[in-house]
Amino acid sequence: YADDAINANKHEIIPNNTVLTNGFNNIQDKSWMWGQDVTVETTGGLASFQGHVDIHSYSYAWVGGTKAIDKRLYEELPSWDIRKKWFNDGTGNKTYALCPDKKFFSAKNPTSTATDNIDRKWMNDNVFMRIELMHLIAAEACYFLGNLDSAAMYLTNITDQRVDQEVATAAADYSTFKTNIATNADDFVQAL
């Protein structure tokens, strides 16, 4: 069934050049399979997803109830993976250290946390399922069926779009990653 969804060609993996700019806030995103188009009538206001995680909106996270990635998990993200930049590393803004400020942000204002700039309308759409999940499900199924080559292919369909071009060693490090997951089941499970 994951293959059926992938092969329908209605959705695409978020391309590398928009990983840090799409904000997971619009139902028109081509990777979204299922989501909620938030309107004035359907917004949950402060009791919304963005009202909990978006530091660029008037939210629990903005006032200090941050939802951040675990530091150990953050440190396990490979340097070549552009998704590491989804999270504030704390060097520029310690208040929101390790928050997903480049993953979840207001379409109105993706950068500022100043009181006069934050979004107070909570109109960002909610994502429930993306095509990337179908690739992960297929990868996991292939792994459990003993087909490591296909499992690695499904996983690298995503990771091929996640190589950070600004990291000097990214190409070499990613090449090693791909080789390891295609030949070693333990590395594959860790990557998944």
Side-chain angles (χ1 to χ4, degrees), residues 22-100:
N22 76 358
F24 291 84
N25 56 27
N26 191 324
I27 199 166
Q28 299 303 315
D29 187 299
K30 292 181 180 178
S31 74
W32 289 29
M33 298 176 65
W34 180 29
Q36 177 190 18
D37 185 12
V38 176
T39 64
V40 172
E41 294 80 18
T42 62
T43 184
L46 192 55
S48 66
F49 179 81
Q50 299 290 337
H52 281 270
V53 301
D54 178 13
I55 63 171
H56 307 291
S57 290
Y58 183 71
S59 67
Y60 295 107
W62 178 72
V63 297
T66 58
K67 310 295 188 282
I69 189 172
D70 179 82
K71 185 171 178 36
R72 292 169 297 182
L73 180 58
Y74 174 79
E75 290 170 350
E76 284 187 29
L77 291 170
S79 62
W80 57 260
D81 194 332
I82 198 167
R83 292 172 293 189
K84 191 163 193 168
K85 291 181 179 175
W86 273 341
F87 305 96
N88 178 340
D89 66 5
T91 56
N93 187 336
K94 292 187 186 331
T95 303
Y96 300 114
L98 301 177
C99 287

Side-chain angles (χ1 to χ4, degrees), residues 101-140:
D101 65 344
K102 296 279 189 300
K103 182 175 184 182
F104 302 112
F105 53 78
S106 166
K108 176 186 172 201
N109 182 16
T111 58
S112 178
T113 56
T115 303
D116 291 340
N117 295 335
I118 60 171
D119 176 18
R120 294 174 184 265
K121 294 187 178 178
W122 306 281
M123 298 297 289
N124 290 315
D125 297 336
N126 295 315
V127 61
F128 300 137
M129 186 176 295
R130 296 175 26 238
I131 194 65
E132 287 85 347
L133 180 58
M134 295 300 106
H135 289 267
L136 293 173
I137 289 170
E140 186 176 21

